[in-house]
Amino acid sequence: MRKRRFLLAALLAVVAVVAVAPVVHAAATVRIMALGDSITAGPGCWRAKLWHSLQTTGHTDVDFVGTQSDGGGCNPGYSYDFDHEGHGGFSATGIAANNQLPPWLTAARPDVVLMHLGTNDMWGGYIPLSDKLTAFTKLVGQMRAQNPAMKIIVAQIIPMSAAACATCPADVAAFNRAPPSWAAGLSTSQSPIVLADLWTGYDAVADNVDGVHPNDNGFRKMADAWYPVLAGVLGGTTTPPSTPPTTDPTSPPPTGACTAVYRVTSQWSGGFQGEVTVSNGSSAASTGWTATFTYANGQTVGQAWNATVSQSGATVTARNVDWNGRLAAGATASFGFLATSTGVNPNPTVTCTLSTS
């Protein structure tokens, strides 16, 4: 009898434990689609490195998806998910114009899209920036039509070298300045658009094999730039990160009649890209402006845009072009240029003057 009572008590205890044990639900897998061109597709080894970073930091509930597969061609020495939506030679404007994205989305059913697009829109410099942004907007609309809660991470794309395409460095810089305001106007709480800065700190010569496509170091830089933004989105953080000055320059507050700020926007072995922003700090509109600076280490300016630039010895003089000389009080204008350097490249002090008649 005592043994029967003991067995009954033990059985009731087991039932009680089962009754109060919490129900454990498996974490939902997040489907991530890498959308891009050959930088994503072939071999696109930033995807392998990004996958590895996610897996080794506890983000094991992810699935890279897409209609394409690299078949493990990156051979990084560890396993990774091969699936992606990279298409060599494709452009953002072309994908949008031909409505190629919707069937890819239907097949892949992503929750998150990583979009590194725009490189093939730069060749020749003939596609206006407004057309590129219109294409981006259409693609976002198609993503949301497939999934109203789509999380969208848009890259400020890696730079291209002047050796690969003479007009491309300036076009990429201009393109990368546009996403912050574009994303702010289109992002929603249900379907946020977050930026990933893949441009800053990336060397168009040293980190690419041909001035366009990454080498292994370039792929590592790409993965390292994607990771914190994607990890934040996976963790529920969808506030766009602050954009560094290299991709979203903020003009200095005007003080005095004319001020100018010089900055290097990209640098590689033997050369760099620079930009100068001129500000009208007076109370009257200008009819023109001139900016002057002097190099100390043998730098030589070559190609320039948005100003007429000449160099005499070490001194560089830039004058406005017809359409950007008139600056209202407090307004700014910027010009850019490509230059050679010997390795030592400190920023010179820029002086500027305004014409008012």
Side-chain angles (χ1 to χ4, degrees), residues 1-354:
M1 186 68 177
R2 180 180 299 174
K3 182 177 181 181
R4 187 178 300 169
R5 284 198 300 270
F6 174 79
L7 291 173
L8 179 60
L11 178 61
L12 290 174
V14 171
V15 171
V17 170
V18 172
V20 300
V23 177
V24 178
H25 297 282
T29 299
V30 180
R31 300 171 65 84
I32 301 170
M33 186 174 86
L35 172 63
D37 46 43
S38 57
I39 294 171
T40 296
C45 294
W46 63 263
R47 294 179 286 99
K49 297 178 187 299
L50 177 59
W51 173 265
H52 186 64
S53 294
L54 291 169
Q55 297 299 302
T56 55
T57 55
H59 295 286
T60 57
D61 55 344
V62 297
D63 180 15
F64 281 9
V65 297
T67 64
Q68 307 299 300
S69 171
D70 67 29
C74 288
N75 298 312
Y78 45 77
S79 62
Y80 67 98
D81 194 325
F82 306 158
D83 300 326
H84 64 89
E85 204 61 67
H87 298 266
F90 281 42
S91 63
T93 51
I95 292 172
N98 295 310
N99 292 311
Q100 291 169 301
L101 181 58
W104 300 342
L105 292 169
T106 298
R109 298 178 293 105
D111 304 300
V112 179
V113 172
L114 309 180
M115 186 165 71
H116 188 283
L117 268 178
T119 300
N120 289 316
D121 299 89
M122 302 298 158
W123 298 106
Y126 67 90
I127 300 177
L129 176 60
S130 59
D131 288 2
K132 299 167 190 172
L133 293 179
T134 297
F136 269 41
T137 300
K138 182 176 181 179
L139 296 178
V140 167
Q142 291 173 338
M143 293 175 199
R144 289 171 173 168
Q146 194 275 331
N147 178 359
M150 188 77 77
K151 308 298 187 292
I152 305 163
I153 305 178
V154 175
Q156 290 163 293
I157 63 175
I158 63 173
M160 304 167 71
S161 77
C165 167
T167 60
C168 289
D171 283 350
V172 172
F175 179 72
N176 280 339
R177 285 193 291 269
S181 58
W182 169 82
L186 202 59
S187 186
T188 68
S189 58
Q190 184 182 23
S191 176
I193 301 174
V194 185
L195 304 182
D197 179 14
L198 274 66
W199 193 84
T200 299
Y202 192 104
D203 191 314
V205 174
D207 295 328
N208 285 335
V209 295
D210 55 4
V212 181
H213 298 90
N215 55 29
D216 191 66
N217 193 56
F219 284 134
R220 164 51 58 197
K221 286 187 176 182
M222 290 185 71
D224 288 348
W226 280 119
Y227 174 78
V229 182
L230 177 56
V233 169
L234 295 174
T237 302
T238 54
T239 301
S242 58
T243 309
T246 49
T247 54
D248 185 24
T250 301
S251 299
T255 57
C258 186
T259 58
V261 171
Y262 178 107
R263 67 189 187 92
V264 173
T265 59
S266 184
Q267 191 159 251
W268 53 91
S269 177
F272 65 98
Q273 180 176 321
E275 183 179 73
V276 174
T277 299
V278 175
S279 300
N280 180 2
S282 72
S283 58
S286 71
T287 56
W289 48 262
T290 301
T292 304
F293 52 91
T294 301
Y295 285 125
N297 299 96
Q299 299 93 324
T300 303
V301 173
Q303 180 185 356
W305 51 94
N306 298 340
T308 300
V309 177
S310 60
Q311 184 167 350
S312 177
T315 301
V316 177
T317 302
R319 293 182 173 85
N320 64 279
V321 289
D322 291 342
W323 56 267
N324 68 354
R326 182 174 179 81
L327 298 179
T332 64
S334 296
F335 66 92
F337 56 90
L338 298 175
T340 60
S341 69
T342 58
V344 180
N345 190 30
N347 288 359
T349 300
V350 185
T351 60
C352 64
T353 58
L354 300 174

